Amino acid sequence: MRKIKVLHIITRLILGGAQENTLFTVEGLEKTGRYEVKLLTGPPIGPEGEMLGYCRDHSIRHRVFSQMQRQINPLRDGVSFFELYFYLKHNKFDIVHTHSSKAGIIGRAAARLAGVPVIVHTIHGLPFHSYQADLINRFFIELEARAASATDLIICVAKSMIDQSVRAQIADREKFCLVRSGFPVDQFLNARKDEELARRLGIEPDD
């Protein structure tokens, strides 16, 4: 049988939870043998550190679109949209799965215009917050709602994100599902007690 072609899109591969989650998903899909998976990202701009090296070390097929960056820039964002559209049109993916707000907005619009059959988005964090101006929040909510209308399934990593999205009328609750973030646990399960560290931190044996 032909492998299902999947493209994951994330704004930037900095060192962070959303990025780790995305990379683990890409690797997990590949291991099933049923999917042909690629990852598309913008440059890892920021002080947090980058995870492009992880892609190279683990043979993850990836491509960097230099114009896709976190900061809003109408000209750059327009270029990113058309780059994505032509890339999707040429490669004919079965599923596009977007992550993070910028990649989610541009990626889902480009995927819908390119005729991608299935569009999925993961919310790792919402772009509207109580500490932002109402006008900015309304702008982001409108963008998210329009993108949601072009989305088949929205995954959230916390139930509170589903509740907040439904309250903001991003989409009906039926369009959301909960998949909590995973992470490697071996280093914790196999941890050894460090007596010297405990002594320096003032941790008693019974604490």
Side-chain angles (χ1 to χ4, degrees):
M1 290 178 63
R2 181 182 71 86
K3 289 186 178 182
I4 298 169
K5 294 183 66 175
V6 182
L7 177 68
H8 282 263
I9 309 173
I10 190 166
T11 307
R12 53 186 185 148
L13 271 182
I14 58 168
L15 189 62
Q19 289 74 18
E20 288 184 347
N21 181 299
T22 302
L23 290 169
F24 294 157
T25 303
V26 169
E27 290 183 298
L29 287 174
E30 281 282 4
K31 287 176 181 177
T32 68
R34 297 173 53 198
Y35 302 92
E36 177 187 321
V37 192
K38 292 184 179 179
L39 175 64
L40 194 150
T41 180
I45 297 171
E48 300 88 348
E50 56 88 18
M51 298 195 75
L52 283 174
Y54 186 96
C55 291
R56 292 188 290 269
D57 294 343
H58 292 78
S59 301
I60 294 175
R61 289 186 291 267
H62 65 283
R63 181 168 176 172
V64 178
F65 275 17
S66 63
Q67 296 301 312
M68 188 163 65
Q69 299 178 22
R70 187 183 184 207
Q71 299 302 320
I72 295 175
N73 181 304
L75 179 59
R76 195 166 55 217
D77 294 343
V79 172
S80 293
F81 171 80
F82 284 107
E83 280 185 332
L84 269 174
Y85 166 75
F86 289 115
Y87 183 77
L88 294 172
K89 198 75 174 171
H90 175 73
N91 287 277
K92 305 208 177 294
F93 291 95
D94 300 296
I95 302 171
V96 164
H97 186 159
T98 60
H99 305 260
S100 64
S101 296
K102 173 64 74 69
I105 299 298
I106 295 176
R108 283 181 283 175
R112 181 59 72 204
L113 187 63
V116 176
V118 177
I119 301 172
V120 180
H121 177 63
T122 294
I123 296 175
H124 300 275
L126 290 163
F128 48 92
H129 312 280
S130 58
Y131 53 79
Q132 281 183 160
D134 287 344
L135 186 61
I136 295 174
N137 279 334
R138 285 200 295 270
F139 172 71
F140 283 128
I141 288 171
E142 179 64 22
L143 286 177
E144 289 289 344
R146 287 178 179 271
S149 67
T151 310
D152 297 289
L153 178 69
I154 301 173
I155 300 170
C156 289
V157 298
K159 183 178 179 296
S160 59
M161 292 184 190
I162 297 178
D163 296 338
Q164 190 176 349
S165 298
V166 172
R167 282 198 303 270
Q169 299 182 321
I170 300 299
D172 294 335
R173 189 172 292 272
E174 291 71 28
K175 186 166 276 193
F176 296 89
C177 77
L178 175 64
V179 181
R180 293 186 173 90
S181 294
F183 59 94
V185 296
D186 288 348
Q187 61 181 327
F188 302 104
L189 296 176
N190 300 320
R192 291 185 177 183
K193 191 168 184 178
D194 188 332
E195 300 287 354
E196 172 59 22
L197 178 62
R199 185 188 64 76
R200 284 194 285 115
L201 294 176
I203 299 173
E204 299 295 332
D206 295 333
D207 288 347

